[in-house]
Amino acid sequence: MSPSSSSPILETRKLGMVFRGHRDVAALTDVSFQLHRGRALALVGESGSGKSTCAKILTRMMPSTDGQILFNGEDVTRPGNRKEVLAYRSQVQMVFQDPFAALNPAHSVRHHLSRPLALHKPNLGYGEREDLTAELSLMVGLDPAETLDKYPYELSGGQRQRVNLARAMAVDPVVLIADEPTSMLDVSIRLNILDMFKPLKRDRGIAMLYITHDIATARYIAEETAVIYGGRIVEIGPTSTIIDAPRHPYTRLLLAAVPEIGRPFGSADAGLVREADRVRAISREPGRLAEVAPGHLVRECSASFA
Ligand SMILES: Nc1ncnc2c1ncn2[C@@H]1O[C@H](COP(=O)(O)OP(=O)(O)OP(=O)(O)O)[C@@H](O)[C@H]1O
Ligand SMILES: [Mg+2]
């Protein structure tokens, strides 16, 4: 299904976030995107571009200072009471970057998986809860007999991230927000971990926001990609278009730094890499987002680069 033919589950409209301090920080400006059932959007940007701020606002860990969030068409922008926010969080779950920090060292894997079940599905009997716990474990590729009685320190980083994902899935969310879920893991297992997300999209219709600084991995998991810099989306569209035919100089700069994508230094974009500072400067400009093809938007900027 194309994104335009279904209504979004989660949508941001001109989201803005200013952190007030002795120097105000505009962490997000004019951020609009949609998440759809069974699809993933990659939010790609370098450190400090506003990715985690966006994730925190979407999970309602903090309110935005501007713009709107719609969940199933309903405005959920305002902070809401505790009950509302808990109900929302059971539908919009987050997987964090640091798999160790997210688990309690005093509790077994079984506890980590059965507790959210006990909280969100209080009517389940003990046996049903045990069955579901085993099922969740299998879903993320962990053998229940081997894993459920272990403690976080007895697991590898990749296994811990699997437990985190199983825990997020325990409450049957419709949206999963994964903030750099593989960046703290060994390069050799990153794709295995990303692989776990694919059936969740395909078989369970999960809508996913995949946050990463690594544009090359977007192709692996996400149908759409948004490139963010300085809190503004500079380009958004189908991932294949963004990677194969990028239009914004900043997107091209990100891609030029990924040799395996086929634009190594020395290629056409080598000049762009030499002018990286100027590319970043113009990428902060508040230009209009122009639709250059259906579903492909590029922010206008004052300079073009060969
Ligand atoms: N609580 C806060 N108070 C003040 N400024 C903040 C706060 N949280 C984030 N910022 C600022 O907002 C900007 C965006 O930060 P954010 O953590 O969203 O970036 P990020 O894209 O997730 O970066 P990284 O890739 O390093 O995780 C940064 O300039 C950061 O310093
Ligand atoms: Mg972050």
Side-chain angles (χ1 to χ4, degrees):
M1 210 186 303
S2 81
S4 53
S5 65
S6 73
S7 45
I9 287 189
L10 194 60
E11 178 176 8
T12 67
R13 290 190 184 162
K14 296 190 171 295
L15 209 60
M17 182 70 203
V18 177
F19 289 108
R20 302 274 173 211
H22 64 271
R23 246 189 82 231
D24 290 353
V25 177
L28 295 175
T29 310
D30 187 24
V31 171
S32 301
F33 58 74
Q34 301 182 336
L35 301 183
H36 292 264
R37 267 196 173 277
R39 304 176 69 86
L41 170 74
L43 183 62
V44 181
E46 59 193 71
S47 187
S49 56
K51 306 180 298 294
S52 294
T53 301
C54 195
K56 286 176 194 157
I57 292 171
L58 282 179
T59 48
R60 298 175 83 184
M61 287 160 71
M62 64 186 187
S64 63
T65 52
D66 207 359
Q68 271 185 307
I69 305 172
L70 302 181
F71 181 63
N72 278 326
E74 188 189 330
D75 192 323
V76 293
T77 316
R78 300 273 66 87
N81 63 38
R82 193 179 138 75
K83 198 167 157 228
E84 252 167 46
V85 171
L86 276 182
Y88 177 84
R89 291 229 184 101
S90 72
Q91 308 210 63
V92 180
Q93 279 280 308
M94 177 108 161
V95 176
F96 293 93
Q97 176 176 22
D98 183 347
F100 200 68
L103 299 175
N104 184 334
H107 291 304
S108 67
V109 173
R110 183 190 308 281
H111 178 92
H112 279 97
L113 301 188
S114 60
R115 198 176 133 75
L117 290 173
L119 282 177
H120 288 273
K121 298 177 184 174
N123 297 330
L124 289 180
Y126 174 80
E128 289 169 305
R129 202 161 69 224
E130 282 292 291
D131 288 349
L132 265 180
T133 304
E135 205 178 286
L136 284 165
S137 165
L138 285 171
M139 186 180 81
V140 296
L142 294 173
D143 179 349
E146 251 175 55
T147 319
L148 288 178
D149 292 316
K150 287 193 169 165
Y151 285 80
Y153 68 88
E154 298 175 286
L155 303 174
S156 70
Q159 288 171 327
R160 281 180 224 141
Q161 201 56 308
R162 288 171 192 272
V163 173
N164 279 317
L165 177 61
R167 187 170 59 160
M169 289 303 296
V171 300
D172 272 336
V174 291
V175 176
L176 207 54
I177 297 175
D179 190 356
E180 310 238 25
T182 65
S183 65
M184 291 183 70
L185 303 176
D186 192 89
V187 177
S188 63
I189 61 162
R190 287 185 185 168
L191 287 187
N192 296 339
I193 296 295
L194 279 188
D195 261 338
M196 289 190 313
F197 291 102
K198 289 182 178 173
L200 303 183
K201 281 195 308 170
R202 193 183 56 224
D203 306 336
R204 296 179 179 239
I206 292 279
M208 188 176 167
L209 181 67
Y210 168 60
I211 293 177
T212 181
H213 57 266
D214 182 2
I215 194 168
T217 59
R219 168 128 68 194
Y220 198 71
I221 180 103
E223 288 78 7
E224 274 90 39
T225 292
V227 177
I228 186 168
Y229 182 71
R232 281 192 178 82
I233 289 179
V234 296
E235 183 161 7
I236 182 168
T239 301
S240 52
T241 309
I242 298 287
I243 289 183
D244 297 330
R247 296 281 288 264
H248 196 282
Y250 181 73
T251 312
R252 286 167 51 203
L253 181 67
L254 280 188
L255 286 163
V258 186
E260 68 263 33
I261 258 172
R263 293 179 190 79
F265 297 99
S267 74
D269 277 338
L272 207 63
V273 175
R274 281 194 294 275
E275 294 196 83
D277 289 345
R278 201 156 75 84
V279 171
R280 287 195 172 85
I282 59 116
S283 302
R284 288 187 176 275
E285 293 172 357
R288 188 175 70 92
L289 264 181
E291 188 160 28
V292 296
H296 183 193
L297 286 78
V298 182
R299 199 171 288 280
E300 290 173 343
C301 53
S302 61
S304 60
F305 294 81

